[in-house]
Amino acid sequence: EMVKFEIYNFYSKQHIRRDISFEDQDREQKMDKGELTGFCRDFMMLPPKSKIHEVFRLVSPLQQPLNFEQFKKTLPILAM
């Protein structure tokens, strides 16, 4: 569980602006489609982008960036 959280932290911070306060950075920590795609590429999970987008829609129906719980739900689906 801790490893998953560390991975999520690393990828979800890719888009955070550097000119905001430390406290605001924690509030902005979410994983968007691009970061999820980067995660898949880096971990040699190479589903087509259409599948990544489909999984993203499945766990985030409103297309909002993923929180940690939603990220965990994507893992078994992407691994198939």
Side-chain angles (χ1 to χ4, degrees), residues 41 50 62 67 77:
R41 181 187 61 241
S50 60
L62 299 176
N67 62 31
I77 301 168

Side-chain angles (χ1 to χ4, degrees), residues 65-78:
L66 305 177
N67 62 31
F68 178 59
E69 293 302 316
Q70 292 169 318
F71 170 69
K72 288 193 310 186
K73 289 179 185 177
T74 67
L75 298 176
I77 301 168
L78 289 171

Side-chain angles (χ1 to χ4, degrees), residues 37-66:
T37 302
F39 161 77
C40 290
R41 181 187 61 241
D42 291 348
F43 281 83
M44 303 301 207
M45 298 166 49
L46 303 172
K49 275 191 179 181
S50 60
K51 180 171 181 171
I52 295 171
H53 290 229
E54 179 184 324
V55 169
F56 195 91
R57 264 194 314 277
L58 180 66
V59 298
S60 180
L62 299 176
Q63 299 296 297
Q64 297 296 311
L66 305 177

Side-chain angles (χ1 to χ4, degrees), residues 1-9 68 72:
E1 190 75 14
M2 188 64 173
V3 173
K4 291 177 189 174
F5 187 70
E6 290 300 322
I7 291 169
Y8 173 79
N9 276 338
F68 178 59
K72 288 193 310 186

Side-chain angles (χ1 to χ4, degrees), residues 13-45:
K13 290 181 179 178
Q14 299 294 313
H15 71 278
I16 295 178
R17 298 184 336 255
R18 302 292 180 221
D19 62 338
I20 61 175
S21 71
F22 186 73
E23 293 80 22
D24 290 339
Q25 286 182 10
D26 284 342
R27 275 183 255 134
E28 285 196 24
Q29 188 173 349
K30 302 279 183 162
M31 184 180 283
D32 63 23
K33 284 182 196 173
E35 292 160 342
L36 185 60
T37 302
F39 161 77
C40 290
R41 181 187 61 241
D42 291 348
F43 281 83
M44 303 301 207
M45 298 166 49

